Amino acid sequence: IAIRDKEKDNLFNMFYLRMHLRRIAYQHPTTVAVALMIADVLRLVDKSDMYPECSLSESPNHMDVYLTLTDGILEQISNFRGCVTEEMKQAKALLRRIHTR
C-alpha cells in the first residue's frame, strides 16, 4: 500500500482506533453474551406465527416478508400477542433478561 507521507498519521490512527474498538467494545464479554442471546431469540421464533407466510430464516426467499423485517424485530417479538408457544415464551423471557441487565 502506497500512501502519501501527509496521510501516514491518519492511516495509523484509523487502524489503531479499529484495533482498540475491537479489543475494548466489539469483543467485550457482555457484547458477545448479548449477541448470543439475540441469536437464540431469533432461533426460537424462527418457526413462530409472527409471519405466517414463511419462517424468519426463509424470509430472504419471500421478498414481501423480507421487506417488512426491520431493526425493530426484537420489539415486535416482545409485543407479539398472537399464538404464544413455548418457544415464544422462552424468547420473550430472554428479551426480558437482556432489557433488565
Side-chain angles (χ1 to χ4, degrees):
I1 298 176
I3 58 168
R4 289 190 51 138
D5 56 345
K6 293 179 185 179
E7 295 299 321
K8 179 182 71 168
D9 289 338
N10 289 336
L11 191 64
F12 176 80
N13 288 337
M14 180 183 71
F15 281 107
Y16 179 78
L17 180 62
R18 183 174 179 262
M19 179 205 57
H20 184 70
L21 285 173
R22 183 176 177 94
R23 192 170 5 119
I24 300 300
Y26 305 149
Q27 292 182 335
H28 190 276
T30 304
T31 305
V32 173
V34 169
L36 290 173
M37 291 170 80
I38 290 172
D40 288 342
V41 166
L42 294 175
R43 213 172 290 116
L44 284 168
V45 299
D46 184 40
K47 304 282 186 205
S48 71
D49 293 337
M50 282 183 62
Y51 300 99
E53 298 88 10
C54 65
S55 65
L56 283 177
S57 60
E58 295 169 350
S59 65
N61 299 327
H62 300 274
M63 273 301 139
D64 52 333
V65 176
Y66 185 71
L67 292 174
T68 63
L69 297 176
T70 64
D71 292 341
I73 190 157
L74 297 179
E75 189 174 331
Q76 290 174 1
I77 293 169
S78 291
N79 297 331
F80 184 69
R81 303 280 184 227
C83 180
V84 180
T85 61
E86 188 61 36
E87 289 86 9
M88 187 62 81
K89 288 179 185 176
Q90 291 174 0
K92 287 184 176 191
L94 267 174
L95 286 174
R96 244 181 273 113
R97 281 183 55 199
I98 292 171
H99 288 295
T100 57
R101 263 187 82 94

